[in-house]
Amino acid sequence: LHSCSPPERKGSRMTDSGAVCYLAVVRIRDQATLASCFDKSALNEEKSGFEGALASVLERSSTAYPGWRERAECRECDGVLHAFADAQAMCLLVAGIRDCQYPDRVALQMLREFADKVKNSQSDQILSEAKAGGLSTPLRKLMKDVMKTYSDAGSQDKTTEVRQQVDQLKGIMQDNVKKILETHVTLEGLENSSSSMSSQANRFLRQSVDLRRQIQYRNLKIKAIAGLCVGGVVAYIVTMFVDF
């Protein structure tokens, strides 16, 4: 199969790669691939994987009819290959998708649009007589534009777009709930700390009162003992004078 981009070194991938990796136009009669285009960031394993999936689909295309649809998994790259027969069942329009979650309805919409654009740009006679790979160059820009347009399923599928928005909103709500719970935990910690400090303060106050009472009691004992000592001395002196 012909590619509109140079081979990509295995293991390297560009950051601007989209979901649509591969497009092709295949004539059903002789299974000739008239045009094909890989995304410029496609890996060699993706190329061989989608080509193998296309071969598998072509084995089942002998009974294709207008609007015939087929899909095959790309085991080497974890992608999916979608195929759609045009209105005359002359050609198969093929799309290789990297994302297994890419909606089938969006892939079908893309292939129908791709079929219309190919039909508008190339006559039935050209499609019937073209050699394998003969239309890769004439259809190159058209295929690149389709790949770019459908690289993001959400921009074409309202259901997917709404689901993505719901997921985004759910993520925001989860973050908010997490922050609220963290704030609640912080408040509980502050409340527990405050209660602990209050208990310690009350215990310190009670201990202070008890200590003050103990000091007062000891002072009273000292005064009483001193008074008794003084009284004893005075009594002793008085007794001596009386004896004389």
Side-chain angles (χ1 to χ4, degrees):
L1 294 178
H2 298 276
S3 171
C4 66
S5 60
E8 188 73 18
R9 186 161 53 93
K10 185 175 182 179
S12 63
R13 179 184 292 274
M14 299 181 68
T15 57
D16 59 348
S17 60
V20 184
C21 177
Y22 173 58
L23 288 178
V25 181
V26 181
R27 190 166 51 220
I28 298 176
R29 184 183 71 246
D30 56 358
Q31 297 187 355
T33 302
L34 306 180
S36 64
C37 181
F38 279 100
D39 179 65
K40 59 184 178 180
S41 63
L43 301 177
N44 288 333
E45 61 185 11
E46 290 179 317
K47 294 179 181 180
S48 61
F50 283 123
E51 289 171 352
L54 175 57
S56 175
V57 169
L58 291 177
E59 291 177 356
R60 303 189 293 271
S61 66
S62 58
T63 58
Y65 51 85
W68 180 79
R69 296 167 53 190
E70 188 60 83
R71 73 195 302 272
E73 294 184 359
C74 175
R75 297 181 180 178
E76 291 84 352
C77 58
D78 296 328
V80 178
L81 185 102
H82 295 268
F84 173 76
D86 62 13
Q88 288 78 31
M90 178 185 296
C91 295
L92 280 181
L93 293 307
V94 179
I97 309 297
R98 288 189 173 106
D99 184 6
C100 293
Q101 302 300 321
Y102 196 94
D104 289 350
R105 57 182 171 273
V106 180
L108 178 60
Q109 177 184 333
M110 173 179 58
L111 290 175
R112 284 175 174 168
E113 182 178 332
F114 184 27
D116 292 340
K117 290 184 176 181
V118 170
K119 185 67 65 175
N120 292 335
S121 63
Q122 306 295 324
S123 65
D124 290 344
Q125 182 178 357
I126 293 176
L127 293 173
S128 179
E129 298 177 356
K131 296 181 179 180
L135 299 181
S136 289
T137 299
L139 295 178
R140 178 179 301 169
K141 185 178 184 303
L142 185 154
M143 290 187 287
K144 286 186 175 181
D145 290 343
V146 172
M147 293 171 71
K148 182 178 180 180
T149 300
Y150 284 88
S151 62
D152 180 12
S155 62
Q156 300 296 327
D157 183 23
K158 295 298 182 183
T159 302
T160 303
E161 184 178 3
V162 171
R163 186 180 63 184
Q164 291 176 347
Q165 292 176 352
V166 169
D167 291 341
Q168 183 179 7
L169 180 60
K170 184 167 63 175
I172 294 174
M173 292 178 64
Q174 289 175 346
D175 290 340
N176 290 338
V177 171
K178 182 178 179 181
K179 291 179 180 178
I180 291 173
L181 292 176
E182 289 176 350
T183 303
H184 180 67
V185 171
T186 303
L187 290 176
E188 283 187 346
L190 291 174
E191 184 177 355
N192 292 334
S193 298
S194 177
S195 299
S196 177
M197 292 177 64
S198 179
S199 299
Q200 292 177 359
N202 291 332
R203 185 166 58 253
F204 177 76
L205 181 60
R206 288 195 300 270
Q207 291 175 351
S208 299
V209 172
D210 293 340
L211 180 61
R212 186 176 62 181
R213 289 177 179 174
Q214 291 176 4
I215 293 173
Q216 290 176 348
Y217 177 70
R218 187 178 63 180
N219 290 338
L220 288 175
K221 286 175 64 177
I222 292 173
K223 289 178 180 179
I225 292 172
L228 289 175
C229 291
V230 171
V233 171
V234 171
Y236 177 74
I237 295 172
V238 171
T239 302
M240 290 179 63
F241 280 109
V242 171
D243 292 339
F244 286 112

